[in-house]
Amino acid sequence: GDVREAARSAIDNAPPTAYFSVIQFNETSLTIEDFTNDHNRIKSAIDIVESVPNNGTCLYDAVYDAIGLLDDQIQSPQERRAIILFTDGKDQITGDTLCSRHSFNDVINAARPANSSAPITPIHTIGLFDAQGGNLNEAELRRMASETIAYSAIGNQTNLGGLFQEIMDGLN
């Protein structure tokens, strides 16, 4: 509930012309809502995203696919583009077994294409650690944001709204 409320609040604080898409991911990616500037539709999509316990997290595949969706959606280099990634930063099925067919470097290369005329896709990361301060790949989340000229916000559930707001402030 706290995650949904923080995400909905971030949408409320976005410019009315901002387009969003909601993508749920675990071992597969599912676009819940395609790009739209209808913020009520986006908030409704946020409300139906469900965590699936004991499923893997193919993080790199999900981000790689999201970059592809942006490439398909945004045709003009003047349009701003960004991904807001809310995750623990771990790409895994179980334990240390990787889930994705794409790597961290594949994601960075897709976000920062070698073709200088192609736009960079900033990947803003929000990392939420558990009550013990663990279960988070903080270094990789910060690196993903840094290498794509984006912001990273890391914290726990008590400051979740502030984490989303920190990213939205940076975008604005």
Side-chain angles (χ1 to χ4, degrees), residues 129-149:
F129 54 79
D130 61 21
Q132 291 76 37
N135 197 37
L136 178 69
N137 190 349
E138 180 177 351
E140 192 155 289
L141 289 176
R142 290 195 187 279
R143 183 173 158 222
M144 186 179 293
S146 173
E147 290 195 23
T148 61
I149 312 169

mmCIF file of all heavy atoms in Angstrom, residues 129-149:
data_model
loop_
_atom_site.group_PDB
_atom_site.id
_atom_site.type_symbol
_atom_site.label_atom_id
_atom_site.label_comp_id
_atom_site.label_asym_id
_atom_site.label_seq_id
_atom_site.Cartn_x
_atom_site.Cartn_y
_atom_site.Cartn_z
ATOM 1 N N PHE A 129 15.405 -0.820 0.699
ATOM 2 C CA PHE A 129 15.997 -1.915 1.455
ATOM 3 C C PHE A 129 15.035 -2.382 2.532
ATOM 4 O O PHE A 129 14.106 -1.669 2.927
ATOM 5 C CB PHE A 129 17.374 -1.548 2.029
ATOM 6 C CG PHE A 129 17.430 -0.297 2.861
ATOM 7 C CD1 PHE A 129 17.003 -0.279 4.173
ATOM 8 C CD2 PHE A 129 17.953 0.872 2.320
ATOM 9 C CE1 PHE A 129 17.081 0.870 4.940
ATOM 10 C CE2 PHE A 129 18.038 2.024 3.075
ATOM 11 C CZ PHE A 129 17.596 2.026 4.387
ATOM 12 N N ASP A 130 15.247 -3.610 3.001
ATOM 13 C CA ASP A 130 14.355 -4.194 3.991
ATOM 14 C C ASP A 130 14.652 -3.632 5.385
ATOM 15 O O ASP A 130 15.550 -2.813 5.564
ATOM 16 C CB ASP A 130 14.428 -5.718 3.963
ATOM 17 C CG ASP A 130 15.814 -6.269 4.279
ATOM 18 O OD1 ASP A 130 16.627 -5.552 4.891
ATOM 19 O OD2 ASP A 130 16.077 -7.426 3.907
ATOM 20 N N ALA A 131 13.898 -4.081 6.362
ATOM 21 C CA ALA A 131 13.995 -3.551 7.727
ATOM 22 C C ALA A 131 15.391 -3.734 8.324
ATOM 23 O O ALA A 131 15.811 -2.955 9.178
ATOM 24 C CB ALA A 131 12.949 -4.217 8.617
ATOM 25 N N GLN A 132 16.123 -4.756 7.876
ATOM 26 C CA GLN A 132 17.463 -4.995 8.390
ATOM 27 C C GLN A 132 18.534 -4.224 7.611
ATOM 28 O O GLN A 132 19.708 -4.312 7.907
ATOM 29 C CB GLN A 132 17.798 -6.498 8.333
ATOM 30 C CG GLN A 132 16.994 -7.344 9.303
ATOM 31 C CD GLN A 132 15.559 -7.567 8.831
ATOM 32 O OE1 GLN A 132 15.304 -7.729 7.648
ATOM 33 N NE2 GLN A 132 14.618 -7.556 9.762
ATOM 34 N N GLY A 133 18.109 -3.471 6.599
ATOM 35 C CA GLY A 133 19.059 -2.689 5.811
ATOM 36 C C GLY A 133 19.723 -3.482 4.711
ATOM 37 O O GLY A 133 20.675 -3.031 4.103
ATOM 38 N N GLY A 134 19.227 -4.666 4.442
ATOM 39 C CA GLY A 134 19.826 -5.524 3.423
ATOM 40 C C GLY A 134 18.916 -5.714 2.228
ATOM 41 O O GLY A 134 18.001 -4.934 1.983
ATOM 42 N N ASN A 135 19.177 -6.793 1.493
ATOM 43 C CA ASN A 135 18.397 -7.189 0.314
ATOM 44 C C ASN A 135 18.321 -6.086 -0.733
ATOM 45 O O ASN A 135 17.278 -5.847 -1.318
ATOM 46 C CB ASN A 135 16.993 -7.641 0.720
ATOM 47 C CG ASN A 135 16.333 -8.431 -0.402
ATOM 48 O OD1 ASN A 135 17.007 -9.187 -1.095
ATOM 49 N ND2 ASN A 135 15.058 -8.252 -0.595
ATOM 50 N N LEU A 136 19.443 -5.401 -0.939
ATOM 51 C CA LEU A 136 19.460 -4.312 -1.908
ATOM 52 C C LEU A 136 20.828 -4.263 -2.581
ATOM 53 O O LEU A 136 21.856 -4.330 -1.906
ATOM 54 C CB LEU A 136 19.190 -2.975 -1.200
ATOM 55 C CG LEU A 136 19.214 -1.725 -2.064
ATOM 56 C CD1 LEU A 136 18.018 -1.703 -3.007
ATOM 57 C CD2 LEU A 136 19.193 -0.489 -1.190
ATOM 58 N N ASN A 137 20.822 -4.145 -3.882
ATOM 59 C CA ASN A 137 22.062 -3.993 -4.630
ATOM 60 C C ASN A 137 22.267 -2.497 -4.888
ATOM 61 O O ASN A 137 22.135 -2.007 -5.999
ATOM 62 C CB ASN A 137 21.981 -4.782 -5.942
ATOM 63 C CG ASN A 137 23.310 -4.872 -6.638
ATOM 64 O OD1 ASN A 137 24.265 -4.188 -6.276
ATOM 65 N ND2 ASN A 137 23.378 -5.708 -7.654
ATOM 66 N N GLU A 138 22.564 -1.780 -3.811
ATOM 67 C CA GLU A 138 22.654 -0.323 -3.857
ATOM 68 C C GLU A 138 23.721 0.166 -4.829
ATOM 69 O O GLU A 138 23.483 1.098 -5.609
ATOM 70 C CB GLU A 138 22.930 0.230 -2.460
ATOM 71 C CG GLU A 138 23.037 1.738 -2.430
ATOM 72 C CD GLU A 138 23.233 2.305 -1.040
ATOM 73 O OE1 GLU A 138 23.125 1.558 -0.046
ATOM 74 O OE2 GLU A 138 23.499 3.520 -0.951
ATOM 75 N N ALA A 139 24.880 -0.461 -4.814
ATOM 76 C CA ALA A 139 25.972 -0.006 -5.678
ATOM 77 C C ALA A 139 25.573 -0.071 -7.147
ATOM 78 O O ALA A 139 25.833 0.856 -7.914
ATOM 79 C CB ALA A 139 27.223 -0.840 -5.427
ATOM 80 N N GLU A 140 24.913 -1.148 -7.550
ATOM 81 C CA GLU A 140 24.529 -1.282 -8.946
ATOM 82 C C GLU A 140 23.414 -0.305 -9.326
ATOM 83 O O GLU A 140 23.421 0.245 -10.425
ATOM 84 C CB GLU A 140 24.101 -2.714 -9.246
ATOM 85 C CG GLU A 140 23.982 -2.947 -10.734
ATOM 86 C CD GLU A 140 24.162 -4.390 -11.093
ATOM 87 O OE1 GLU A 140 25.302 -4.889 -10.987
ATOM 88 O OE2 GLU A 140 23.163 -5.008 -11.477
ATOM 89 N N LEU A 141 22.474 -0.055 -8.426
ATOM 90 C CA LEU A 141 21.416 0.918 -8.709
ATOM 91 C C LEU A 141 22.007 2.318 -8.883
ATOM 92 O O LEU A 141 21.637 3.050 -9.801
ATOM 93 C CB LEU A 141 20.360 0.916 -7.607
ATOM 94 C CG LEU A 141 19.474 -0.313 -7.549
ATOM 95 C CD1 LEU A 141 18.540 -0.238 -6.345
ATOM 96 C CD2 LEU A 141 18.681 -0.468 -8.829
ATOM 97 N N ARG A 142 22.919 2.668 -8.005
ATOM 98 C CA ARG A 142 23.553 3.983 -8.126
ATOM 99 C C ARG A 142 24.389 4.075 -9.406
ATOM 100 O O ARG A 142 24.391 5.088 -10.081
ATOM 101 C CB ARG A 142 24.404 4.270 -6.895
ATOM 102 C CG ARG A 142 23.567 4.516 -5.637
ATOM 103 C CD ARG A 142 24.384 5.150 -4.534
ATOM 104 N NE ARG A 142 23.657 5.247 -3.292
ATOM 105 C CZ ARG A 142 22.773 6.198 -3.004
ATOM 106 N NH1 ARG A 142 22.477 7.114 -3.900
ATOM 107 N NH2 ARG A 142 22.159 6.219 -1.839
ATOM 108 N N ARG A 143 25.068 2.998 -9.747
ATOM 109 C CA ARG A 143 25.895 2.988 -10.964
ATOM 110 C C ARG A 143 25.018 3.079 -12.220
ATOM 111 O O ARG A 143 25.346 3.794 -13.162
ATOM 112 C CB ARG A 143 26.742 1.721 -10.990
ATOM 113 C CG ARG A 143 27.679 1.662 -12.161
ATOM 114 C CD ARG A 143 28.620 0.476 -12.062
ATOM 115 N NE ARG A 143 29.100 0.171 -13.389
ATOM 116 C CZ ARG A 143 29.229 -1.047 -13.877
ATOM 117 N NH1 ARG A 143 28.941 -2.092 -13.134
ATOM 118 N NH2 ARG A 143 29.652 -1.227 -15.101
ATOM 119 N N MET A 144 23.889 2.358 -12.228
ATOM 120 C CA MET A 144 22.983 2.412 -13.376
ATOM 121 C C MET A 144 22.498 3.841 -13.589
ATOM 122 O O MET A 144 22.468 4.341 -14.715
ATOM 123 C CB MET A 144 21.793 1.466 -13.171
ATOM 124 C CG MET A 144 20.883 1.346 -14.376
ATOM 125 S SD MET A 144 19.497 0.207 -14.121
ATOM 126 C CE MET A 144 20.359 -1.353 -13.996
ATOM 127 N N ALA A 145 22.130 4.512 -12.519
ATOM 128 C CA ALA A 145 21.673 5.903 -12.619
ATOM 129 C C ALA A 145 22.824 6.807 -13.075
ATOM 130 O O ALA A 145 22.661 7.620 -13.992
ATOM 131 C CB ALA A 145 21.114 6.375 -11.283
ATOM 132 N N SER A 146 23.968 6.658 -12.459
ATOM 133 C CA SER A 146 25.115 7.514 -12.784
ATOM 134 C C SER A 146 25.537 7.371 -14.243
ATOM 135 O O SER A 146 25.784 8.371 -14.922
ATOM 136 C CB SER A 146 26.282 7.153 -11.857
ATOM 137 O OG SER A 146 27.438 7.833 -12.238
ATOM 138 N N GLU A 147 25.593 6.148 -14.729
ATOM 139 C CA GLU A 147 26.060 5.914 -16.098
ATOM 140 C C GLU A 147 25.050 6.344 -17.157
ATOM 141 O O GLU A 147 25.386 6.418 -18.333
ATOM 142 C CB GLU A 147 26.461 4.448 -16.282
ATOM 143 C CG GLU A 147 27.728 4.123 -15.513
ATOM 144 C CD GLU A 147 28.362 2.819 -15.921
ATOM 145 O OE1 GLU A 147 28.118 2.352 -17.051
ATOM 146 O OE2 GLU A 147 29.127 2.283 -15.103
ATOM 147 N N THR A 148 23.826 6.621 -16.721
ATOM 148 C CA THR A 148 22.812 7.089 -17.683
ATOM 149 C C THR A 148 22.387 8.527 -17.379
ATOM 150 O O THR A 148 21.326 8.970 -17.836
ATOM 151 C CB THR A 148 21.581 6.151 -17.686
ATOM 152 O OG1 THR A 148 20.982 6.143 -16.382
ATOM 153 C CG2 THR A 148 21.966 4.745 -18.099
ATOM 154 N N ILE A 149 23.194 9.216 -16.602
ATOM 155 C CA ILE A 149 22.971 10.624 -16.265
ATOM 156 C C ILE A 149 21.593 10.799 -15.625
ATOM 157 O O ILE A 149 20.741 11.553 -16.078
ATOM 158 C CB ILE A 149 23.152 11.534 -17.494
ATOM 159 C CG1 ILE A 149 24.449 11.173 -18.220
ATOM 160 C CG2 ILE A 149 23.161 13.011 -17.091
ATOM 161 C CD1 ILE A 149 24.603 11.812 -19.574
#
